[in-house]
Amino acid sequence: MSEIGTQSNPLRVAIVGAGPTGFYTAEHLFKQKEYVVQVDMFDRLPVPFGLVRYGVAPDHQKIKSVTAVYDRIAQNPGFRFFGNVQIGRDITVTELSRYYHQVVYTTGAQTDRQMNIPGEDLAGSLPATDFVAWYNGHPDFQDYDVDLSHENVAVVGVGNVAMDVARILCRTPEELATTDIADYALEKFRHSNVKNVYILGRRGPAQAAFTTPEIKELGEMEDTDAYVEPEEAALDELSEAALAANSDRATMKKVEVIQSYAGRPSTGKSRRLILRFLVSPVELFGNEDGQVVKMRLVKNKLYKTESGTLRPKATDEFEEIPVGLVFRAIGYRGVPIPGVPFYDSWGVILNREGRVIDPETQAPVTGQYTGGWIKRGPSGVIGTNKPDAQETVQNMLADVAAGQIMRPDHPEAEAAAAMIAEKQPDYFSYDDWLKLNELEIAKGKAQGRPRVKFTSVPEMLAAVGKS
Ligand code: NAP
C-alpha cells in the first residue's frame, strides 16, 4: 500500500453537507501541511451554505456575509462541490467508501423538537424550523402554508430562533423588502394581520437562552413595541443569588435590557411583542375545523436541582390566551442518514470527538467522522463550528498517521466524478453555484435588495442551463 496524502496519492475526503461546518472542516484540512488533501463536498440541495442561507434571518445580512470566507475555501484547487446529490439516496454510504479514504457528515439539524402537549398537531401549531426555512426560500418549503390572518401568535421558547421568528413576524413590509426574504413570503407578510406576538419562556429572564444584541433588537423595531410584565421581569431569589455568586455580567446585562421593557407604555405602534417568563404551554385548543384558537399556560416556579441549575416546576396557577398561530422554537433536531449510526435520544450521529462510533462495539468506524450540529446538537453560533470542525480534523489526521483509513477501490478524483455524474447527472458544481449567485444578486440589485433567491430546484437547474 503506497503512502496516502502525497501529490500522486492524495488523501481523498468526502464532506457531506455544505453548511458552515462542512466549509470549516475543508478549511482545516487544507490548512495543515502534512498531507495533500482533496475534498469533494456534497449537498442535497444544488446550492451551498446550509444554515447561513436557509436559517440565518433575512434581516441579519451581516451574519450572512460569512459566506465570503466559504467562497475563499472553495477556491482551493483541491476542492470540488457536488450539489443536488443526496447521500443515502443518490449515493449510498457504502458506495462512498469505494471512492474516499474518509467521509465527514456535517448535515446539521434539519428538523424540530416537540412540546408533547395535547393539541400540538392542530392546524396553526407549527415548528419554527419550517417557518424559518419557508421565509428563507428553502426549496422544500415553497408550498408551505402559513395563515397570517390571525392577530395573536405565540412563539414558544426564548432562544435566538424564537427571537428571529418574533422579529420577522413584527417587521414592516418595508423593512422586509430590503432583505433577501423569499418573494412569496414577502407577499404574504404584506397582508399579515398579526398584532400581538407572545414569546413564552418556561424559566425566568436570567435563564433566557437568547443573547443580548437579539433582545435589544426587539426594542428597536420600526412599528412594534416590546413589552414585559413587570412581575415577570423581576428576578426571583434563586436567580438573584446565582447571578451574584457567579458575577455573571453578561447575563446581568441581558436582564437589564429585559427589565427596560417592563411595563413600557404603548407608543402607538401597530404591533406588540409581549415577552412572558415562567410560563409553559400545557394544552392547545382548536375550533370545529381543527384550527388552534387558544393556549392554556401554567405558571412555573424555579427550583434548584442537585447540580445547581435552576429548573421550572409547574404551579397550580393557569391562564388562557387566544392564539391563532403557535410556533414552537424549542430547539432543532438532527435527522439520521441511512447507514450511519445515530443516537436517537440526542438526535445526533453517535460519535466520540467527531469519530463515528459503532453502537455494538463502541469502537470507531474506520474512516467515518462527523462535525457541527449533527455531531454535538444544535447549540452555539456559526463560529462555534470552527473549533468543533478542528477537533474532528485533528482526529482524522491522527487516524491517517495511524493508517486507520478506508481503502477505496477507486481513490482517483476522476473516478469519483464519473460515479457522481452517473448517479446524478444534474449535479451542481461550484461554478454553477457562482453563476446562480450572480443571477440572484443581479435580480436583487434591480429591486434594491441583497439578492432575490431561486426557491425551487427545477428553477435553479434551468437558470444554469441544466435539465
Ligand atoms: P436554544 O438556544 O437552545 O433555545 C431553546 C429555547 O427553548 C430555550 O429557551 C429553552 O428553554 C426552550 N425550551 C426547550 N424545551 C422547551 C419546552 N418543552 N417548553 C418550553 N420551552 C422550551 O435553541 P434555538 O433558539 O433553536 O437556537 C439554536 C442555536 O442557534 C442557539 O445556540 C442559538 O444561539 C443559535 N442561533 C443564533 C442566532 C444568532 O446569533 N442571531 C440566531 C438563531 C439561532 P430552557 O432554557 O428552559 O431549556
Side-chain angles (χ1 to χ4, degrees):
M1 174 63 59
S2 58
E3 209 183 325
I4 306 289
T6 61
Q7 207 61 45
S8 59
N9 205 0
L11 177 71
R12 305 254 320 125
V13 178
I15 296 178
V16 181
T21 310
F23 279 95
Y24 294 132
T25 304
E27 183 179 37
H28 290 305
L29 284 167
F30 290 141
K31 257 190 186 160
Q32 56 75 40
K33 297 280 172 262
E34 208 148 329
Y35 304 104
V36 177
V37 182
Q38 290 180 345
V39 167
D40 284 351
M41 184 181 282
F42 295 89
D43 203 284
R44 74 184 183 91
L45 291 177
V47 295
F49 307 150
L51 188 89
V52 176
R53 183 173 161 102
Y54 294 120
V56 172
D59 60 341
H60 279 177
Q61 286 300 314
K62 249 200 203 146
I63 300 182
K64 292 192 193 247
S65 62
V66 69
T67 56
V69 174
Y70 308 153
D71 264 334
R72 274 202 298 280
I73 298 165
Q75 296 319 311
N76 189 295
F79 180 93
R80 298 190 302 189
F81 175 65
F82 296 97
N84 202 23
V85 180
Q86 186 168 341
I87 303 306
R89 183 195 63 189
D90 301 322
I91 300 173
T92 65
V93 163
T94 314
E95 279 164 340
L96 276 188
S97 66
R98 299 196 189 112
Y99 294 84
Y100 299 93
H101 299 106
Q102 297 182 318
V103 181
V104 194
Y105 301 99
T106 55
T107 47
Q110 297 162 40
T111 186
D112 69 296
R113 290 182 53 228
Q114 303 246 308
M115 296 187 284
N116 297 317
I117 59 168
E120 185 160 13
D121 295 330
L122 286 166
S125 163
L126 303 160
T129 48
D130 291 7
F131 184 56
V132 169
W134 169 75
Y135 64 59
N136 270 319
H138 191 298
D140 288 358
F141 293 89
Q142 50 178 322
D143 299 323
Y144 174 84
D145 198 18
V146 59
D147 181 359
L148 297 176
S149 68
H150 302 282
E151 290 196 356
N152 300 310
V153 181
V155 181
V156 184
V158 283
N160 280 334
V161 170
M163 295 291 106
D164 285 349
V165 166
R167 221 178 45 248
I168 294 300
L169 282 165
C170 290
R171 289 255 185 237
T172 61
E174 293 70 35
E175 285 176 294
L176 293 175
T178 62
T179 74
D180 66 352
I181 196 165
D183 267 349
Y184 55 67
L186 180 58
E187 195 45 34
K188 203 134 204 190
F189 282 116
R190 283 190 198 282
H191 306 287
S192 163
N193 284 336
V194 171
K195 282 211 157 45
N196 301 306
V197 176
Y198 299 92
I199 309 176
L200 308 174
R202 62 177 169 181
R203 297 191 286 162
Q207 293 81 36
F210 51 65
T211 38
T212 304
E214 275 64 29
I215 183 65
K216 256 193 177 155
E217 216 177 347
L218 292 195
E220 297 160 355
M221 306 275 291
E222 188 145 325
D223 197 23
T224 302
D225 283 319
Y227 178 82
V228 190
E229 288 290 348
E231 64 269 28
E232 289 180 358
L235 294 186
D236 66 313
E237 276 176 23
L238 289 173
S239 301
E240 288 260 24
L243 275 190
N246 305 329
S247 325
D248 185 348
R249 296 181 71 86
T251 305
M252 285 179 196
K253 179 79 210 148
K254 189 156 73 178
V255 170
E256 232 173 72
V257 179
I258 295 168
Q259 291 180 342
S260 73
Y261 303 150
R264 255 198 198 180
S266 163
T267 61
K269 293 184 175 177
S270 315
R271 293 189 171 123
R272 274 214 325 170
L273 266 167
I274 304 138
L275 270 159
R276 300 287 314 266
F277 292 102
L278 290 164
V279 287
S280 286
V282 285
E283 185 165 2
L284 304 181
F285 299 93
N287 60 15
E288 58 281 6
D289 299 328
Q291 158 68 43
V292 65
V293 289
K294 193 167 70 177
M295 171 186 267
R296 189 166 160 84
L297 294 170
V298 67
K299 190 107 189 110
N300 296 327
K301 251 187 130 100
L302 294 180
Y303 73 98
K304 200 170 178 173
T305 63
E306 270 175 25
S307 65
T309 44
L310 301 184
R311 303 294 313 158
K313 193 175 182 174
T315 66
D316 54 7
E317 238 181 279
F318 295 89
E319 71 173 288
E320 286 173 357
I321 53 172
V323 285
L325 266 178
V326 177
F327 293 109
R328 51 179 184 275
I330 59 172
Y332 281 67
R333 215 187 123 75
V335 175
I337 302 165
V340 184
F342 196 68
Y343 185 46
D344 199 57
S345 8
W346 290 10
V348 299
I349 289 176
L350 187 62
N351 77 93
R352 253 194 320 266
E353 293 165 356
R355 287 186 175 103
V356 175
I357 297 297
D358 182 324
E360 300 287 316
T361 63
Q362 295 295 310
V365 183
T366 305
Q368 307 279 309
Y369 304 86
T370 182
W373 278 8
I374 195 67
K375 166 186 173 186
R376 68 168 197 282
S379 67
V381 292
I382 289 164
T384 314
N385 296 305
K386 224 176 157 170
D388 177 302
Q390 189 168 23
E391 177 187 70
T392 297
V393 168
Q394 264 168 8
N395 286 331
M396 290 168 71
L397 297 173
D399 291 349
V400 175
Q404 295 293 323
I405 52 171
M406 296 192 289
R407 304 290 170 183
D409 308 330
H410 311 285
E412 312 84 24
E414 309 74 44
M419 179 273 291
I420 298 161
E422 194 196 322
K423 300 270 183 188
Q424 174 50 294
D426 285 335
Y427 74 81
F428 244 57
S429 66
Y430 209 77
D431 279 345
D432 290 330
W433 154 245
L434 291 176
K435 236 187 272 174
L436 197 83
N437 185 40
E438 270 179 27
L439 292 173
E440 287 190 342
I441 291 173
K443 225 168 150 190
K445 210 168 185 182
Q447 300 180 22
R449 303 172 59 187
R451 70 174 63 237
V452 173
K453 284 181 186 173
F454 288 93
T455 57
S456 88
V457 171
E459 259 181 43
M460 291 175 181
L461 293 174
V464 301
K466 289 179 188 280
S467 282

